[in-house]
Amino acid sequence: MKKVGFLALAAVTLFASCKTDNQAEADKYGGTLRVNISDIPHVVFPGRINKRSEQIIAYQVYDGLVKYNPRTLKIVPSIAKKYRVSGDNLTYTFTIDSRARFQDSRCFKRGKGRRIVAADVKYSIEQVCRIQLLNEYEKSRQIMNIEGAEEFMKTAKTNDSIDIGGIIAKDDTTLIFKLLKPDNLFIHYLAGPNTLVFAQEAFNTYGINGTAGSGAYMIKYPTIKGQPIELTKNKKYWRTTYQGEQLPFLDTIIISFVTSTQKELYMFEKDMVDVVFGVPVKYLTPFLEENIDAFQSATPQFTMTQTINLQNDKRFNLLKSNIKGLYINSQDFFDFSEVYLQEPEPRTIVVSE
């Protein structure tokens, strides 16, 4: 068996994954991406997200006003095409992108998803607050800092007509938040899973088991808990790339929930999954030794990236080399809408001894 120093291999594989950003883009194509997440989701719905798997899936099915750029973790527009903050940092004004639409669902008239308006965002946030009140979740500091939130929380369990006065849908495209005091984390709260947008029609029809979102992929629940979940392309998704390409690129994402790292690695090696997230070093080293040629060949099969979690633990992520545009970060903010498949190009590799 060929032996290679771990750091040397890491440098090669990390270089390979970065190099594709500067290559001239060939034709992008769809197909199926197979991903494993090492915990089993219960309910994938804003306000009820407690697990890593639930968060990752929810960000593909629902959009929020803003989101994290998975590569930089900076806040970028999503349903809101722009926003501004007042000089005293107490008023946030968002302009809703007029192209944004809900996914097709039988809960809508003639089964066609309608345009997303400012009132939908207000409704979603307030309904999530009601769900969390009923389930006795801890109140968010960011929500409680909105004008009228205190009064809302006192009676929302029994009064369906009360709203949060500091969330104002001025018109279809203008949404305003009025805060009691400045909070630099407020915009990050709006990029989180508790502010993902869903329609009142969908909630009235499906409740928290709803599947009609606002994102790039539509969800199909399995009949047995723990079985793989299938995300299919929302063919009427409204977002495009900066080059005007229609998103998403992939046709299907199959997400499995094997909880054993050793089994995950076996599935990856045997071409049963395309991505493995967060592999600890103790499992990685023997896998690299067994599959060194798949990383080092002139046309590689596998690539690798590294993340560091909040506990400062290093984790490694394994990807098939034809996967492009997938940026993996330690906060589990993934955006599969811009991921595509592309055959790897031959390269020249120099490996130090």
Side-chain angles (χ1 to χ4, degrees):
M1 183 186 302
K2 185 178 180 181
K3 299 283 185 178
V4 176
F6 176 77
L7 292 178
L9 177 57
V12 169
T13 54
L14 289 172
F15 171 77
S17 65
C18 294
K19 182 181 177 182
T20 60
D21 290 339
N22 298 319
Q23 292 173 339
E25 291 191 357
D27 291 338
K28 301 174 181 177
Y29 61 93
T32 298
L33 178 71
R34 300 161 301 172
V35 177
N36 188 74
I37 305 175
S38 58
D39 64 71
I40 299 172
H42 177 59
V43 176
V44 181
F45 191 79
R48 291 296 302 272
I49 295 170
N50 297 302
K51 296 182 178 181
R52 178 172 178 260
S53 58
E54 294 167 356
Q55 174 174 300
I56 292 173
I57 295 169
Y59 275 113
Q60 317 315 315
V61 178
Y62 301 93
D63 283 338
L65 279 173
V66 293
K67 64 179 183 178
Y68 288 101
N69 179 319
R71 187 174 188 178
T72 64
L73 291 181
K74 292 182 178 179
I75 301 291
V76 295
S78 186
I79 289 174
K81 64 180 180 181
K82 62 181 180 179
Y83 70 94
R84 67 178 186 274
V85 184
S86 62
D88 60 6
N89 293 314
L90 295 178
T91 303
Y92 287 68
T93 303
F94 293 84
T95 301
I96 307 299
D97 195 316
S98 60
R99 302 172 300 164
R101 301 186 66 83
F102 289 112
Q103 299 167 356
D104 287 350
S105 169
R106 63 180 177 84
C107 68
F108 298 115
K109 188 176 181 180
R110 295 191 294 275
K112 303 297 183 182
R114 61 168 176 80
R115 177 184 168 190
I116 299 173
V117 297
D120 293 314
V121 185
K122 175 179 170 68
Y123 170 82
S124 299
I125 294 173
E126 291 172 348
Q127 194 60 48
V128 163
C129 287
R130 286 189 168 94
I131 292 170
Q132 294 186 337
L133 277 172
L134 290 171
N135 288 275
E136 299 183 348
Y137 284 28
E138 183 178 353
K139 298 181 181 70
S140 162
R141 183 166 63 87
Q142 278 67 45
I143 277 289
M144 299 309 295
N145 190 35
I146 300 174
E147 290 183 6
E150 187 69 41
E151 292 77 9
F152 176 88
M153 297 298 179
K154 289 177 181 177
T155 61
K157 284 185 179 181
T158 57
N159 184 355
D160 289 339
S161 63
I162 191 171
D163 69 348
I164 299 177
I167 305 178
I168 304 163
K170 183 178 178 181
D171 53 43
D172 283 353
T173 59
T174 308
L175 184 69
I176 300 169
F177 294 88
K178 292 187 174 293
L179 306 187
L180 298 172
K181 57 184 179 181
D183 181 2
N184 291 333
L185 294 180
F186 184 69
I187 194 65
H188 293 273
Y189 164 75
L190 294 178
N194 288 331
T195 56
L196 296 170
V197 178
F198 53 93
Q200 183 171 357
E201 299 97 316
F203 188 76
N204 289 343
T205 303
Y206 309 116
I208 63 171
N209 294 313
T211 58
S214 49
Y217 291 94
M218 306 173 75
I219 186 171
K220 182 178 180 181
Y221 280 116
T223 56
I224 301 174
K225 183 180 177 182
Q227 291 297 304
I229 282 179
E230 179 178 325
L231 303 181
T232 58
K233 174 190 290 190
N234 175 9
K235 295 180 179 179
K236 297 183 180 179
Y237 192 50
W238 54 279
R239 285 184 57 237
T240 60
T241 66
Y242 289 116
Q243 293 77 32
E245 299 166 303
Q246 183 63 48
L247 297 174
F249 295 118
L250 296 170
D251 298 310
T252 311
I253 303 171
I254 305 295
I255 304 178
S256 57
F257 306 101
V258 173
T259 58
S260 163
T261 300
Q262 290 177 315
K263 288 182 179 179
E264 282 187 297
L265 292 174
Y266 175 82
M267 292 167 66
F268 183 79
E269 182 180 7
K270 299 302 181 182
D271 201 33
M272 299 166 67
V273 296
D274 303 311
V275 182
V276 176
F277 299 116
V279 180
V281 173
K282 69 176 182 178
Y283 294 104
L284 182 66
T285 302
F287 180 84
L288 294 178
E289 292 179 348
E290 291 291 333
N291 296 277
I292 192 66
D293 291 336
F295 289 93
Q296 289 193 334
S297 61
T299 304
Q301 295 176 263
F302 304 159
T303 60
M304 179 174 66
T305 65
Q306 176 184 307
T307 53
I308 300 176
N309 64 17
L310 295 177
Q311 288 73 43
N312 206 36
D313 295 328
K314 290 183 180 179
R315 293 290 188 270
F316 294 87
N317 313 289
L318 303 177
L319 299 84
K320 297 297 173 62
S321 58
N322 65 325
I323 299 170
K324 312 298 180 184
L326 177 57
Y327 298 106
I328 302 175
N329 58 74
S330 60
Q331 304 303 307
D332 293 331
F333 293 110
F334 296 101
D335 182 357
F336 291 111
S337 69
E338 296 194 33
V339 175
Y340 59 95
L341 304 179
Q342 185 181 86
E343 293 302 326
E345 296 182 1
R347 61 180 184 176
T348 302
I349 302 176
V350 177
V351 180
S352 59
E353 294 298 330

